[in-house]
Amino acid sequence: MTEQFRVDPPTDADERTLLQGFLDYHRGTLLWKVSNLTDEQLVQRAVDPSSMSLIGLVRHLSEVEKYWFHRALAGHDSPPKYWTAEHPDGDFDLVTPEQAAQDVADYREIVRLSDELAASHSLDSTFIRPRYDAPYSVRYLYLHMIEEYARHNGHADLLRERVDGSTGE
């Protein structure tokens, strides 16, 4: 049985359901773009001189999820896993085939936890990002995450086509 990675978002629903639907759609698109590839293909840097790879995008979006949902919204101590001051682009630069499957599994768990954290807040709830003074709403968070995924899924489209010729919307 083939795993279904994404479901079209609803076309007529309340605001929360629409926002979650679009975010889930984009998360599913990322998982679709990294599916059925070898670990070596996942770490392939397809466009010189960029260090961007498909697994790098997974790692980057894991860090983005953790920052916005775990650290900013929930106030959890959730330091970056893939980058440091010494390696600020470690999410892209420090990928290895041996770690690729675990990186995808970690991403899935981070997303699951992000959804749990978001579900406990209304769209009008606000939070303060680390090192920022202005309040952000949960509504803003959803919109920002949808934008972040949409941009990076465009990268994933190009990388996947370069890796194995696969295309798709």
Side-chain angles (χ1 to χ4, degrees), residues 14-119:
D14 64 272
E15 183 180 16
R16 181 66 170 253
T17 303
L18 286 168
L19 290 169
Q20 187 68 51
F22 271 93
L23 182 55
D24 289 343
Y25 177 82
H26 281 292
R27 288 166 168 167
T29 298
L30 179 66
L31 289 170
W32 174 43
K33 292 298 176 179
V34 302
S35 68
N36 301 315
L37 293 174
T38 67
D39 294 338
E40 289 74 19
Q41 287 173 312
L42 287 171
V43 302
Q44 183 178 334
R45 292 174 171 106
V47 182
D48 286 332
S50 174
S51 64
M52 192 178 294
S53 65
L54 286 165
I55 203 62
L57 288 172
V58 169
R59 290 161 52 111
H60 174 71
L61 287 162
S62 291
E63 297 286 28
V64 171
E65 291 266 353
K66 282 176 46 179
Y67 173 79
W68 280 98
F69 287 102
H70 303 224
R71 290 177 62 205
L73 177 62
H76 293 170
D77 180 23
S78 187
K81 177 178 180 179
Y82 301 114
W83 60 266
T84 64
E86 182 183 356
H87 298 287
D89 292 320
D91 43 355
F92 292 106
D93 294 344
L94 304 177
V95 299
T96 65
E98 298 77 23
Q99 188 63 29
Q102 186 61 54
D103 290 339
V104 173
D106 290 348
Y107 167 79
R108 287 176 180 264
E109 179 62 11
I110 288 165
V111 165
R112 186 189 69 73
L113 293 171
S114 294
D115 284 345
E116 282 182 14
L117 294 169

